[in-house]
mmCIF file of all heavy atoms in Angstrom:
data_model
loop_
_atom_site.group_PDB
_atom_site.id
_atom_site.type_symbol
_atom_site.label_atom_id
_atom_site.label_comp_id
_atom_site.label_asym_id
_atom_site.label_seq_id
_atom_site.Cartn_x
_atom_site.Cartn_y
_atom_site.Cartn_z
ATOM 1 N N TYR A 131 170.346 82.930 75.321
ATOM 2 C CA TYR A 131 171.226 83.102 76.484
ATOM 3 C C TYR A 131 170.558 82.880 77.798
ATOM 4 O O TYR A 131 171.177 83.166 78.853
ATOM 5 C CB TYR A 131 171.877 84.346 76.403
ATOM 6 C CG TYR A 131 172.690 84.691 75.147
ATOM 7 C CD1 TYR A 131 172.029 85.395 74.074
ATOM 8 C CD2 TYR A 131 173.901 84.174 74.918
ATOM 9 C CE1 TYR A 131 172.711 85.637 72.847
ATOM 10 C CE2 TYR A 131 174.627 84.384 73.685
ATOM 11 C CZ TYR A 131 174.018 85.135 72.683
ATOM 12 O OH TYR A 131 174.647 85.361 71.543
ATOM 13 N N GLY A 132 169.314 82.363 77.823
ATOM 14 C CA GLY A 132 168.597 82.180 79.080
ATOM 15 C C GLY A 132 168.132 83.455 79.693
ATOM 16 O O GLY A 132 167.838 83.466 80.834
ATOM 17 N N ILE A 133 167.897 84.434 78.817
ATOM 18 C CA ILE A 133 167.390 85.740 79.352
ATOM 19 C C ILE A 133 165.952 85.976 78.737
ATOM 20 O O ILE A 133 165.855 85.892 77.521
ATOM 21 C CB ILE A 133 168.365 86.885 78.927
ATOM 22 C CG1 ILE A 133 169.746 86.592 79.474
ATOM 23 C CG2 ILE A 133 167.852 88.214 79.398
ATOM 24 C CD1 ILE A 133 170.871 87.449 78.796
ATOM 25 N N THR A 134 165.094 86.283 79.554
ATOM 26 C CA THR A 134 163.685 86.762 79.104
ATOM 27 C C THR A 134 163.618 88.249 79.239
ATOM 28 O O THR A 134 164.217 88.932 80.030
ATOM 29 C CB THR A 134 162.677 86.106 79.966
ATOM 30 O OG1 THR A 134 162.688 86.554 81.318
ATOM 31 C CG2 THR A 134 162.683 84.524 79.906
ATOM 32 N N ALA A 135 162.752 88.791 78.372
ATOM 33 C CA ALA A 135 162.525 90.184 78.373
ATOM 34 C C ALA A 135 160.974 90.429 78.144
ATOM 35 O O ALA A 135 160.426 89.872 77.153
ATOM 36 C CB ALA A 135 163.268 90.898 77.241
ATOM 37 N N ASN A 136 160.336 91.125 79.050
ATOM 38 C CA ASN A 136 158.961 91.330 78.975
ATOM 39 C C ASN A 136 158.691 92.843 79.377
ATOM 40 O O ASN A 136 159.550 93.551 79.940
ATOM 41 C CB ASN A 136 158.108 90.464 79.916
ATOM 42 C CG ASN A 136 158.154 89.034 79.459
ATOM 43 O OD1 ASN A 136 157.496 88.679 78.507
ATOM 44 N ND2 ASN A 136 158.952 88.172 80.088
ATOM 45 N N ALA A 137 157.486 93.338 79.081
ATOM 46 C CA ALA A 137 157.094 94.649 79.533
ATOM 47 C C ALA A 137 155.740 94.601 80.218
ATOM 48 O O ALA A 137 154.913 93.709 79.905
ATOM 49 C CB ALA A 137 157.014 95.589 78.298
ATOM 50 N N ILE A 138 155.556 95.457 81.142
ATOM 51 C CA ILE A 138 154.206 95.678 81.727
ATOM 52 C C ILE A 138 153.767 97.052 81.462
ATOM 53 O O ILE A 138 154.532 97.935 81.314
ATOM 54 C CB ILE A 138 154.194 95.275 83.205
ATOM 55 C CG1 ILE A 138 155.075 96.366 84.028
ATOM 56 C CG2 ILE A 138 154.665 93.908 83.543
ATOM 57 C CD1 ILE A 138 154.834 96.276 85.545
ATOM 58 N N ALA A 139 152.429 97.211 81.352
ATOM 59 C CA ALA A 139 151.848 98.530 81.121
ATOM 60 C C ALA A 139 150.944 98.798 82.367
ATOM 61 O O ALA A 139 149.708 98.518 82.231
ATOM 62 C CB ALA A 139 151.165 98.655 79.799
ATOM 63 N N PRO A 140 151.471 99.116 83.497
ATOM 64 C CA PRO A 140 150.609 99.236 84.667
ATOM 65 C C PRO A 140 149.861 100.565 84.742
ATOM 66 O O PRO A 140 150.222 101.524 84.134
ATOM 67 C CB PRO A 140 151.698 99.283 85.755
ATOM 68 C CG PRO A 140 152.872 99.899 85.192
ATOM 69 C CD PRO A 140 152.877 99.453 83.739
ATOM 70 N N ALA A 141 148.720 100.495 85.380
ATOM 71 C CA ALA A 141 147.940 101.685 85.737
ATOM 72 C C ALA A 141 147.892 101.661 87.277
ATOM 73 O O ALA A 141 147.208 100.896 87.893
ATOM 74 C CB ALA A 141 146.550 101.627 85.150
ATOM 75 N N ALA A 142 148.658 102.551 87.868
ATOM 76 C CA ALA A 142 148.713 102.734 89.313
ATOM 77 C C ALA A 142 149.054 104.055 89.809
ATOM 78 O O ALA A 142 149.696 104.828 89.017
ATOM 79 C CB ALA A 142 149.774 101.654 89.861
ATOM 80 N N ARG A 143 148.760 104.336 91.015
ATOM 81 C CA ARG A 143 149.123 105.656 91.610
ATOM 82 C C ARG A 143 150.648 105.751 91.883
ATOM 83 O O ARG A 143 151.174 104.779 92.458
ATOM 84 C CB ARG A 143 148.332 105.803 92.893
ATOM 85 C CG ARG A 143 148.528 107.146 93.589
ATOM 86 C CD ARG A 143 147.689 107.370 94.846
ATOM 87 N NE ARG A 143 147.143 106.525 95.655
ATOM 88 C CZ ARG A 143 146.378 105.405 95.536
ATOM 89 N NH1 ARG A 143 146.103 104.938 94.413
ATOM 90 N NH2 ARG A 143 145.834 104.615 96.415
#
Side-chain angles (χ1 to χ4, degrees):
Y131 302 99
I133 302 167
T134 64
N136 292 286
I138 65 168
R143 182 175 26 312

